[in-house]
Amino acid sequence: MSIISPTSWSAGTAELASLDDFIHALDAEISASGESAAVAVLVLSLRRTDRIAALTLPEYAGQVRQCFLERIQPVLRDKDKLVFVSEDECWLMLPQLTSEALAILAVHRLLNELSKPLKVAAQTIFFNPSIGIACAPMHGNSAVSLLRVADSAQKSAQRDNEKFLMPQARAGQSVMPDNLLVVLEEVLDANRLTMRYQPKVDLHSNRVVSVEALVRWPSDHPLTIETTHLIDIAERCGLIELLTMRVFNQVLHEVVNWRSAGMEMLVWVNLSARLLSHEQLPKILARILSIWDVPASSIGLEITESALIHDIEHTTNLLFELKDMGFHLSIDDFGTGYSSLAYLRRFPIDELKIDRMFIHGMTDSVQDKQIVQSIIGLAHNFGLPVVAEGVEDEKTLTALELLGCDQIQGFWFAKPMHGDQLMRWCNEFHRTVKR
Ligand code: C2E
Ligand code: MG
Ligand code: MG
């Protein structure tokens, strides 16, 4: 690997290091974690379109690095470290991972950020990244051995036109991500995923107005897999379509059960970014709805802000088509992307959900509270109701109420629950109104 003028950076959430610091810190993390946690190293080749400008104009290169760091920092944790080894390559260290698969999750998020061009001054820079991943203790027990594995993985990924590669473990050790693919296929084939439903409460009427459907890994399975992790793996290995169809079938089945018990309930289903580019999506959804004889108006689709801004023209057409079919539409995790609300207003959306990251922070951080306040103000200017997710205590609830937030979803009211508990819970809630 060629190393050209490694540079030290010291801004932002990820603590960034010089090359020597990086290697020392990596060795220290590897010895500190032993077998109890994984430490991942990523060799990231950017393959940027402005490489020559970056090599010849140092000031410009510095500016681009700063923008690049700002872009990827939301993906990194405080304990992660990064060093540039050349204008076109950086190394990242992700310590204290409970599973190697989390490195893959981080890689996905990085690739997602790098799929959007970076605009610096008059330049638009595109990346065609490839990432090599190595983890201790799986691939080695020293900084140098890990870097060697990650470097060669990056080169193989680039050669095979893959976005990333994590090599197989040494014989006798399990490779979590590969196992997961097989295991996930089995679980999907056997239709063993389950659903939970979390109420959204309207603060003006104190009524449950809808629920969000959240998928769960089977609780009786020997492996435990978090939902975000499950979705990430399904997206990565092309199983997200199947997973979503399984989710829709279960949700619609539940809606039919609730209806026959006398409960009409709007259910919000999360739609993965990848599905937005699926040409058949409206047709497939229409078919499932007709099988269960449920109108689209009983279903809302939650789409994350970042998913919307990939291919604006296509997404706008698709959302209008889904809207015309009768689906409700919501922008999920608002505030984490880079889009302005004015920009998003071109989409036919019915509500906006503020990411729970800001909600968690708002009673302690003035900045988070200001962000929440300005999102609510802006959304109301556009005539959009706002949902706050992740409300865990009364203090946050009261603060949101004072800011004029419309709906609340969070553990304070209810954790996601089984479909057959929902009706009883709603009746009880409406009788007592927990406030
Ligand atoms: P999301 O759509 O933003 O869903 C809200 C997440 O916040 C859920 O996590 C929910 O359990 C959690 N949550 C709600 N209230 C609170 C609270 O008061 N405190 C805390 N700490 N958390 C709260 P969950 O179920 O783990 O889902 C994570 C993400 O996975 C979801 O985020 C969504 O993006 C995705 N997801 C879940 N189910 C599906 C699905 O069926 N399909 C797809 N494509 N994605 C799904
Ligand atoms: Mg959601
Ligand atoms: Mg959300």
Side-chain angles (χ1 to χ4, degrees), residues 194-196 198 212-216 226-231 235 240 243-244 247-248 251 268-273 275 302 304 332-333 353-356 359-360 388-393 409-416:
T194 59
M195 299 307 296
R196 298 289 181 276
Q198 189 180 31
E212 177 174 10
L214 296 157
V215 71
R216 291 290 178 265
E226 295 289 327
T227 298
T228 41
H229 191 179
L230 164 65
I231 299 300
E235 284 185 340
I240 193 68
L243 182 145
T244 308
V247 164
F248 266 96
V251 166
W268 293 92
V269 179
N270 290 283
L271 215 53
S272 145
L275 280 177
E302 291 194 4
T304 57
D332 204 354
D333 301 344
K353 290 183 82 173
I354 308 179
D355 193 79
R356 62 182 188 278
I359 305 299
H360 279 172
E389 66 177 19
V391 177
E392 292 187 351
D393 51 47
Q409 179 185 348
F411 295 172
W412 169 251
F413 282 127
K415 289 197 167 172

Side-chain angles (χ1 to χ4, degrees), residues 221-388:
H221 196 280
L223 276 181
T224 305
I225 299 182
E226 295 289 327
T227 298
T228 41
H229 191 179
L230 164 65
I231 299 300
D232 182 66
I233 301 286
E235 284 185 340
R236 178 166 81 92
C237 58
L239 289 171
I240 193 68
E241 285 88 355
L242 181 57
L243 182 145
T244 308
M245 294 316 121
R246 295 278 191 254
V247 164
F248 266 96
N249 268 314
Q250 293 211 28
V251 166
L252 294 174
H253 190 176
E254 203 69 73
V255 168
V256 169
N257 287 345
W258 291 334
R259 287 183 145 192
S260 56
M263 182 172 73
E264 289 289 334
M265 182 61 79
L266 169 62
V267 188
W268 293 92
V269 179
N270 290 283
L271 215 53
S272 145
R274 268 192 61 155
L275 280 177
L276 295 186
S277 56
H278 197 302
E279 279 182 10
Q280 301 295 319
L281 181 70
K283 267 196 199 136
I284 296 173
L285 294 185
R287 197 173 330 127
I288 305 186
L289 286 171
S290 75
I291 290 171
W292 291 99
D293 194 22
V294 171
S297 58
S298 297
I299 303 295
L301 304 173
E302 291 194 4
I303 302 163
T304 57
E305 178 191 355
S306 52
L308 288 175
I309 52 179
H310 268 306
D311 178 350
I312 304 291
E313 203 186 316
H314 167 80
T315 311
T316 313
N317 292 338
L318 174 69
L319 293 195
F320 273 101
E321 189 175 351
L322 294 170
K323 184 79 197 148
D324 286 345
M325 287 169 72
F327 288 107
H328 302 256
L329 300 174
S330 167
I331 296 192
D332 204 354
D333 301 344
F334 187 78
T336 49
Y338 301 92
S339 39
S340 74
L341 190 49
Y343 182 70
L344 293 176
R345 199 58 192 103
R346 69 181 67 197
F347 303 118
I349 45 175
D350 301 292
E351 65 162 42
L352 200 117
K353 290 183 82 173
I354 308 179
D355 193 79
R356 62 182 188 278
M357 186 172 84
F358 301 113
I359 305 299
H360 279 172
M362 66 179 282
T363 50
D364 295 327
S365 149
V366 178
Q367 208 190 0
D368 281 355
K369 190 171 176 182
Q370 279 167 351
I371 292 173
V372 172
Q373 183 168 19
S374 67
I375 294 177
I376 294 175
L378 275 169
H380 285 171
N381 274 342
F382 286 111
L384 282 177
V386 179
V387 183

